[in-house]
């Protein structure tokens, strides 16, 4: 067996200082907690295991011990693990998981500190020619100050920047995709530990007693964390997932978001003082949590309705608190300050509407008009809260023109006139009241930062917090219409129509006023739910406004009819008006497979050519017709491999933008990115810069899911850093106009590479009859499905064990745990090798592309980062230990194919980049990956050992524990062994960071 511990990089001095200083504290805390919480001999064995896996820590004793026994490091680790009983193995898995989570906290703080340092420093003088090549040489994200300084040095006209900022539209959509395995409870403990570590590191003026106190608090928190169960106790419900996603808004984003505009405005003041900043809501949020019903039967219309009510209640609670604090603050007296006539007039109107409030508060606030006004605002917010609670309790099918009185809630909400005048029927009314107060203050020369902060929050979050995108699979709509057509006894049932017939019939139905659905008919459960979803959406928009849910995403979109079907169903629900030719619902196709990505321009071109469809687009937001198109990274990668998927998405964007320009349609691309590279993940800044020139125009929509949420939005400054750098990347890309994406020879080369890569990938993944068994046996995929981390099934079809039924997330998760990471790189080396075999001189062109083409640089950089995390020898151990004897020969052939492709891909990537070692171009990342690669090795061996014992238990009666000197002679149940295996999955996920 080759040495499992990789050679240690020569990191940059800066990376060594930042990580090294803080790592010493974590190592010390970790060892202290282990010695406190584990029996002495267990703790010493764990520390020896850590030293074995990390040669930087080894004092020579463990190496000498292994050498004396004639063992390499990996053999010594395996031997040490075999000495552990199950209890100690579980403790080891927990210990290493804790270690990696502490390291993750450190690295998040390093990102925060680096960002804060960049805000304090003066902008650097940058190259006078940054767009040739277009930012290809810039790998470090730029802040607002750096970007605007750079643009000013380039003499970019203020009008051009102001126009771009006016249309700036960033949308981040949180999803419930199950790649985040850390419990909500543990996240809270991590936040407390992170806060204490930050205090300990930043407070240089702490005396010895204060530092010791902080240190003891840290130890106490980590010990409490150690005694907390890391595994989810039960399968989360959809509403549990809603609560988890909203955690980041409550803890970080609600307070952080107004600062984003403050920072962009401050940076503009320095370089472009006459340019107006973008509107407050230039960056907003969406959510699929509670509304994504693709393959998740738990997401019902009632759940989506309750999610919307839950989100509004959270926002109302925030606003009540903020307005209450403002009322305390704005104690201005009319004796000493003027008040605007508009505010006085509004107070008179409020007196008539709220006589009880006037009687109660007028005497107290007789000369304090702002406090009186905010008292009325508070009352309206409380009434809105009460109405919202009634809506949640009575459900979406409650009458839309009034609600029944509910005892104990309040008489104001009983059916009757005047209700609309009392509560806030829309967020616009609430914002108008706040702006009235602000204008009165400003009219007298006063300002109020907390009021401006609140108005900014209202602009960004409204009452809904995040817009809910509904997503459903395309066949659900065609099946419903087929059932309807058979009930209506159409000459040709919808399911038997050709595509041309379908389009003609759908367009005709869209434009007629006649209802299509018989009101008294009964339908199958699936069709009933499909109809109900659209009716619930209409009710949502009626009560909450269109912003709460204005987007309907159709997964697995293939044809024009897939979009028209949803519009026909929406028309029946009142979301499309055939007379006015308007719609309140934006229907978004999701093109996922390679074939669908290639077909996308033709599909959209046919739709844009339909006058009625164009008129519906014109009724959407903005002055220009808007079409949103979602591109799927996950399924196209699973279908065709990393290189082919990325190239097809790149080409589709260019073609769709050209098509939209021809038809005078504004295009917003929705990127369905995941956390892992194979699902579109990786640094967002470089990914945005790599988008084809001319395809953004200041508009982008991106999914944020799984562990990405915690890595980006768990700390305030970290969240602002990620949002700021995403914004600067969108601005930079939108200002760049470069022909490199249209270089014919480069595109031809990429086309050849993509086709070869796809063929090589599919030959192994789809055409090899043993691959599915290899994946099931040699990775922990079956055990991953037992993690209680999602309300959604791991497979699309229950009971099916084929590759097509497996979702892309567990597919990536399994390969990551076993250290193959195959979906992120397999096929790249074979494609490059075949190109170079035909023309060895092409290596110079590939190097040129890496230097000058942002897309190609991003592609190679992602492959390089993923390869650096692969441990091919540890992966071989999974194959040898977990593969069944009857499959050994077939599995070994598959492994050798993968190993040879890994070696080839690594060598060719290094030849293109000019690096001696992977990640030489990013020493800080290299240091982090090296640290994790070294320390994660024992977890891999632990996982294999536990999986092997668990699977043996599944095939025979429970066995008595009889291995190792530490055996306690117990008989372990399957549940105990499964628990141990799941804990190793937790630990490896924490160490790898991007899991699925």
């Amino acid at each position: 067996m080759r040495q499992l511990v990789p050679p240690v990089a020569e990191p940059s001095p800066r990376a060594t200082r930042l990580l090294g200083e803080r790592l010493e504290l974590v190592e010390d805390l970790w060892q202290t907690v282990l010695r406190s919480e584990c029996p002495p001999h267990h703790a010493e064995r764990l520390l020896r295991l850590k030293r074995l896996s990390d040669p930087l820590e080894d004092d020579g004793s463990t190496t000498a011990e292994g050498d004396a026994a004639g063992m390499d490091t990996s053999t010594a680790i395996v031997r040490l693990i075999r000495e552990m009983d199950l209890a100690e193995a579980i403790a080891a898995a927990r210990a290493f998981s804790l270690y990696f989570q502490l390291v993750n906290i450190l690295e998040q703080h390093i990102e925060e500190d680096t960002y804060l340092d960049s805000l304090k420093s003066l902008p650097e003088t940058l190259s006078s020619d940054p767009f040739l090549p277009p930012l290809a040489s810039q790998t470090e994200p730029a802040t607002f100050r750096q970007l605007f300084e750079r643009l000013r040095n380039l003499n970019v006209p203020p009008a051009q920047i102001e126009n771009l900022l006016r249309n700036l539209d960033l949308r981040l959509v949180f999803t419930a995709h199950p790649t985040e395995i850390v419990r909500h409870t543990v996240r809270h403990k991590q936040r407390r530990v992170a806060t204490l570590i930050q205090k300990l590191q930043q407070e240089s003026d702490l005396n010895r007693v204060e530092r010791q106190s902080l240190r003891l608090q840290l130890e106490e928190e980590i010990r409490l964390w150690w005694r907390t169960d890391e595994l989810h106790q039960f399968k989360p419900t959809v509403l549990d997932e809603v609560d988890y996603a909203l955690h980041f808004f409550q803890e970080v984003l609600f307070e952080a978001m107004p600062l984003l505009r403050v920072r962009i405005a401050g940076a503009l003041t320095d370089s472009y003082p006459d340019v107006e900043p973008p509107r407050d809501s230039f960056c907003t949020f969406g959510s699929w949590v509670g509304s994504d019903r693709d393959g998740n039967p738990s997401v019902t219309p009632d759940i989506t309705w309750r999610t919307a009510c839950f989100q509004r209640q959270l926002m109302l609670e925030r606003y009540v608190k903020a307005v209450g604090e403002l009322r305390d603050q704005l104690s201005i007296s009319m004796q000493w300050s003027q008040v605007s006539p508009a505010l006085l007039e509004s107070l008179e109107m409020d007196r008539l509407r709220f006589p009880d409030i006037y009687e109660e508060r007028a005497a107290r606030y007789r000369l304090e008009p702002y406090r009186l006004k905010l008292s009325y605002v508070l009352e309206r917010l409380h009434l809105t809260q009460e109405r919202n609670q009634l809506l949640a309790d009575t459900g979406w099918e409650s009458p839309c023109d009034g609600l029944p009185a509910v005892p104990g809630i309040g008489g104001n909400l009983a059916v009757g006139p005047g209700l609309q005048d009392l509560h806030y029927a829309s967020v616009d009314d609430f914002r108008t009241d706040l702006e009235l107060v602000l204008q009165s203050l400003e009219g007298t020369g006063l300002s109020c930062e907390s009021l401006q902060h609140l108005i900014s929050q209202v602009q960004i979050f409204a009452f809904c917090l995040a817009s809910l995108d509904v997503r459903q699979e395309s066949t659900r709509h065609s099946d419903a219409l087929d059932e309807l057509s058979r009930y209506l006894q159409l000459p040709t049932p919808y399911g038997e129509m050709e595509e041309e017939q379908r389009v003609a019939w759908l367009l005709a139905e869209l434009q007629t006023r006649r209802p299509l659905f018989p009101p008294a008919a009964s339908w199958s459960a699936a069709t009933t739910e499909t109809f109900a979803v659209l009716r619930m959406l209409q009710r949502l928009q009626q009560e909450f406004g269109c912003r709460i849910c204005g987007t309907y995403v159709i997964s697995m979109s293939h044809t024009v009819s897939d979009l028209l079907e949803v519009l026909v169903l929406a028309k029946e629900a009142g979301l499309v008006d055939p007379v006015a030719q308007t719609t309140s619902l934006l229907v978004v196709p999701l093109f996922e497979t390679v074939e669908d990505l290639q077909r996308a321009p033709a599909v959209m071109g046919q739709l844009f050519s339909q006058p009625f469809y164009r008129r519906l687009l014109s009724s959407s937001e903005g002055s220009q017709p808007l079409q949103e198109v979602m591109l799927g990274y996950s399924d196209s990668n699973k279908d065709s491999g990393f290189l082919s998927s990325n190239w097809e998405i790149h080409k589709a964007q260019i073609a769709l933008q050209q098509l939209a320009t021809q038809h005078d349609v504004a295009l917003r691309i929705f990127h369905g990115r995941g956390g892992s590279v194979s699902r579109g993940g990786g640094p967002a800044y470089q990914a945005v810069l790599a988008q084809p020139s001319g395809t953004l125009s200041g508009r982008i929509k991106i999914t944020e899911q799984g562990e990405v949420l915690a890595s980006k939005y768990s700390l305030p400054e970290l969240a602002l850093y990620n949002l700021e750098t995403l914004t600067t990347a969108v601005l930079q890309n939108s200002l760049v106009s470069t022909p490199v994406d249209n270089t014919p020879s480069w595109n031809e080369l990429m086309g050849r590479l993509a086709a070869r890569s796809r063929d090589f990938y599919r030959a192994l993944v789809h055409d090899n009859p043993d691959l599915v068994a290899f994946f099931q046996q040699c990775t922990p995929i079956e055990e991953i499905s037992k993690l209680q981390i999602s309300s959604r099934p791991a497979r699309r079809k229950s009971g099916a064990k084929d590759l097509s039924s497996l979702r892309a997330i567990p597919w990536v998760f399994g390969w990551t745990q076993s250290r193959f990471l195959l979906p992120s790189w397999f096929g790249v080396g074979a494609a490059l090798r075949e190109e170079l075999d035909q023309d060895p001189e092409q290596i110079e062109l590939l190097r040129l592309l890496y230097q000058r083409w942002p897309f190609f640089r991003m592609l190679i950089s992602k492959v390089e980062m993923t390869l650096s995390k692969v441990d091919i020898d540890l992966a071989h151990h999974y194959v040898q230990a977990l593969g069944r004897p009857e499959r050994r020969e077939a599995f070994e052939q598959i492994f050798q194919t993968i190993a040879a492709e890994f070696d080839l891909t690594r060598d060719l990537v290094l030849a293109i980049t000019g690096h001696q070692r992977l990640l030489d171009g990013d020493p800080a990342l290299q240091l982090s990956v090296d640290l994790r690669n070294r320390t994660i090795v024992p977890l891999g061996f632990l996982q294999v050992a536990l999986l092997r014992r668990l699977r043996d238990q599944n095939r025979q009666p429970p066995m008595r524990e009889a291995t190792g000197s530490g055996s306690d002679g117990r008989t372990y149940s399957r549940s105990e062994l499964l628990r141990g295996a799941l804990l190793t999955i937790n630990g490896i996920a924490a160490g790898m960071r991007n899991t699925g």
Side-chain angles (χ1 to χ4, degrees), residues 189-207:
K189 297 192 180 302
Q190 290 175 348
R191 286 182 61 81
R192 286 196 286 271
V193 168
T195 301
L196 288 169
I197 288 177
Q198 192 170 36
K199 286 181 180 178
L200 198 57
Q201 291 169 345
Q202 291 182 347
E203 299 296 331
S204 56
D205 57 346
L206 289 174
N207 59 43

Side-chain angles (χ1 to χ4, degrees), residues 616-920:
L616 289 182
L617 288 185
S618 299
S619 68
S620 62
E621 57 193 91
S623 55
Q624 191 180 19
L626 174 70
Q627 175 69 60
E628 186 175 299
V629 175
M630 186 172 184
L631 305 178
Y633 291 74
S634 304
D635 284 283
S636 60
N637 185 291
K638 179 167 165 272
D639 172 56
S640 297
F642 174 76
L643 198 154
S644 174
S645 167
N646 277 268
W647 178 238
E648 293 301 336
I649 288 171
H650 186 82
K651 286 197 305 179
Q653 286 184 79
I654 294 174
L656 287 168
Q657 184 57 58
Q658 290 174 345
L659 183 72
T661 302
Q662 291 169 11
H663 289 271
D664 192 28
V665 171
L667 180 68
R668 180 166 63 222
I669 297 292
F670 186 1
H671 296 267
R673 285 164 48 98
S676 64
V677 163
S678 58
R679 299 186 55 248
Y685 179 80
Q686 286 85 354
V688 171
L689 289 185
Q691 299 307 304
S693 175
T695 59
L696 292 189
S697 301
R699 288 183 296 270
I700 197 167
K701 191 172 177 180
I702 303 172
T703 53
E704 300 277 48
Q705 55 190 256
E707 74 281 358
V708 171
L709 298 181
S711 67
K712 286 185 175 182
Y713 304 114
S714 57
L715 301 172
E717 291 298 339
L718 186 64
L720 283 168
Y721 165 74
N722 282 289
L723 292 167
E724 179 166 345
T725 53
L726 173 67
T727 307
T728 57
V730 170
L731 291 172
Q732 288 175 219
N733 181 287
S734 301
L735 289 167
V736 171
S737 179
T738 172
V740 293
D741 286 312
N742 297 319
T743 306
S745 60
W746 295 7
N747 289 339
E748 290 167 9
L749 170 62
M750 276 307 307
R752 293 194 300 271
L753 292 175
R756 291 164 180 162
S757 175
R758 184 187 190 199
D759 290 344
F760 191 76
Y761 173 89
R762 289 189 64 86
L764 175 72
V765 172
H766 294 276
D767 300 338
N768 189 311
D770 296 303
L771 192 278
V772 172
F774 180 93
F775 181 64
Q776 289 173 341
Q777 292 180 36
C778 302
T779 78
I781 179 60
E782 294 306 317
E783 291 73 22
I784 287 168
S785 67
K786 295 179 174 65
L787 280 168
Q788 306 286 4
I789 60 174
S790 174
S791 64
R792 189 171 75 156
R795 294 183 180 274
R796 288 188 169 89
K797 304 170 186 174
S798 93
K801 295 291 184 181
D802 61 318
L803 187 60
S804 63
S805 70
L806 185 68
R807 294 188 178 279
I809 292 170
W811 167 252
V812 174
F813 212 142
W815 288 115
T816 303
Q817 287 279 316
S818 54
R819 302 300 299 282
F820 282 101
L821 286 86
L822 179 140
S824 301
W825 58 269
F826 189 81
V828 175
L832 292 169
R833 179 75 276 160
E834 189 173 340
E835 184 70 24
L836 293 174
D837 283 346
Q838 293 187 6
D839 182 4
E841 298 300 317
Q842 288 287 78
I843 188 64
E844 295 303 324
L845 176 58
L846 292 170
R847 288 169 179 161
L848 177 66
L849 264 58
Y850 178 74
Q851 292 298 323
R852 296 186 63 85
W853 193 6
F855 166 75
F856 190 76
R857 184 183 183 90
M858 178 270 299
L859 207 68
I860 295 299
S861 295
K862 284 187 175 183
V863 172
E864 183 181 22
M865 186 272 286
T866 305
L867 292 173
S868 72
K869 294 186 175 186
V870 173
D871 190 328
I872 205 68
D873 291 302
L874 186 53
H876 197 199
H877 182 67
Y878 276 77
V879 177
Q880 293 175 318
L882 299 178
R884 294 178 190 169
E886 65 271 18
R887 299 268 194 172
R888 185 165 294 151
E889 185 177 344
F891 285 7
E892 185 62 25
Q893 289 178 353
I894 290 174
F895 172 78
Q896 292 302 330
T897 299
I898 296 172
E901 176 67 359
F902 169 77
D903 289 339
L904 177 62
T905 306
R906 179 199 57 212
D907 293 345
L908 290 176
V909 164
L910 290 173
I912 291 170
T913 61
H915 297 158
Q916 294 298 309
R917 286 188 69 241
L918 295 172
L919 298 179
D920 272 352

Side-chain angles (χ1 to χ4, degrees), residues 485-498:
S485 68
R486 293 178 190 276
Y487 178 89
L488 297 175
Q489 298 182 335
L490 295 186
T492 304
Y494 186 78
E496 297 176 13
M497 292 182 186
E498 297 295 330

Side-chain angles (χ1 to χ4, degrees), residues 379-514:
E379 178 65 11
R380 295 190 72 181
L381 287 173
H382 287 311
L383 291 174
T384 311
Q385 282 182 301
E386 291 175 1
R387 178 181 176 86
N388 191 64
Q389 188 59 54
L390 270 178
L391 289 167
D393 293 340
T394 57
W396 66 274
E397 293 181 282
S398 59
C400 59
D401 56 348
L403 295 169
V406 177
I409 294 296
N412 281 325
L413 290 182
V415 177
L419 179 61
Q420 296 297 322
D421 294 331
L422 298 179
H423 77 289
Y424 281 119
S426 76
V427 74
D428 294 335
D429 296 338
F430 176 47
R431 188 177 66 248
T432 298
D433 276 347
L434 295 178
E435 289 174 343
L436 196 63
V437 173
L438 181 63
Q439 289 161 7
S440 180
L441 287 170
E442 290 178 340
T444 61
L446 291 175
S447 63
C448 180
E449 185 178 356
S450 54
L451 177 56
Q452 292 171 331
H453 193 79
L454 176 58
I455 292 172
S456 181
Q457 289 169 329
V458 173
Q459 294 272 22
I460 296 164
F461 298 108
F463 280 158
C464 62
L465 190 146
S467 302
L468 293 173
D469 284 357
V470 169
R471 184 173 72 140
Q472 182 58 279
E473 201 266 333
S474 59
T475 57
R476 289 292 296 269
H477 315 117
S478 55
D479 289 348
L481 287 173
D482 182 53
E483 185 176 342
L484 172 68
S485 68
R486 293 178 190 276
Y487 178 89
L488 297 175
Q489 298 182 335
L490 295 186
T492 304
Y494 186 78
E496 297 176 13
M497 292 182 186
E498 297 295 330
E499 173 65 10
E500 189 175 338
Q501 287 178 282
R502 288 187 175 194
V503 170
W505 183 75
L506 291 166
L507 283 170
E509 288 299 332
L510 263 176
Q511 296 174 73
T512 182
R513 303 184 186 189
R514 168 184 46 79

Side-chain angles (χ1 to χ4, degrees), residues 934-968:
R934 294 192 303 269
T935 315
I936 210 171
V937 167
L939 272 175
F941 282 109
L942 272 168
Q943 185 174 91
V944 169
L946 289 166
L947 289 176
R948 187 169 182 174
R949 289 152 78 181
L950 173 64
R951 293 173 183 182
D952 284 342
Q953 284 279 51
N954 289 337
R955 289 192 287 270
Q956 59 192 14
M959 301 179 297
R960 183 169 294 276
E961 184 73 41
T963 57
S965 59
S967 170
D968 58 9

Side-chain angles (χ1 to χ4, degrees), residues 193-254:
V193 168
T195 301
L196 288 169
I197 288 177
Q198 192 170 36
K199 286 181 180 178
L200 198 57
Q201 291 169 345
Q202 291 182 347
E203 299 296 331
S204 56
D205 57 346
L206 289 174
N207 59 43
R208 185 180 63 82
V209 175
E210 291 169 329
R211 294 188 69 82
Q212 183 64 21
S213 174
L214 277 175
R215 169 61 188 250
L216 289 174
Q217 288 180 59
L218 256 176
E219 288 181 20
E220 181 182 282
E221 283 292 345
I222 297 173
R223 290 181 68 185
L224 289 170
W225 179 356
W226 174 264
R227 298 192 191 191
T228 301
D229 197 347
E230 301 97 325
L231 298 178
H232 294 264
Q233 304 300 304
F234 53 87
K235 191 176 184 67
T237 66
V238 178
L239 291 178
D240 290 329
E241 293 172 333
V242 171
D243 182 59
Y244 178 80
L246 297 186
H247 163 80
F248 298 100
F249 292 98
Q250 292 172 293
E251 296 294 332
V252 175
L253 290 169
F254 189 74

Side-chain angles (χ1 to χ4, degrees), residues 263-323:
R263 292 188 180 178
I264 195 171
L268 280 169
T269 300
D270 292 339
S271 298
Y272 287 93
D274 297 327
V275 170
E276 280 289 318
R279 65 193 188 284
D280 287 281
S281 57
F282 76 86
C283 179
T284 56
F285 295 89
S287 177
W288 283 8
V289 192
S291 57
D292 177 13
R293 51 213 352 104
D294 179 15
N296 191 346
S298 301
V299 182
T300 62
D302 181 60
I303 286 291
T304 303
W305 177 263
R306 291 171 65 189
T307 298
C309 293
F310 186 18
Q311 291 186 177
R312 180 155 72 171
Q313 196 69 17
L314 188 151
M315 294 310 307
L316 289 169
E317 288 170 3
R318 285 283 187 166
Y319 294 148
V320 164
K321 180 183 176 183
V323 171

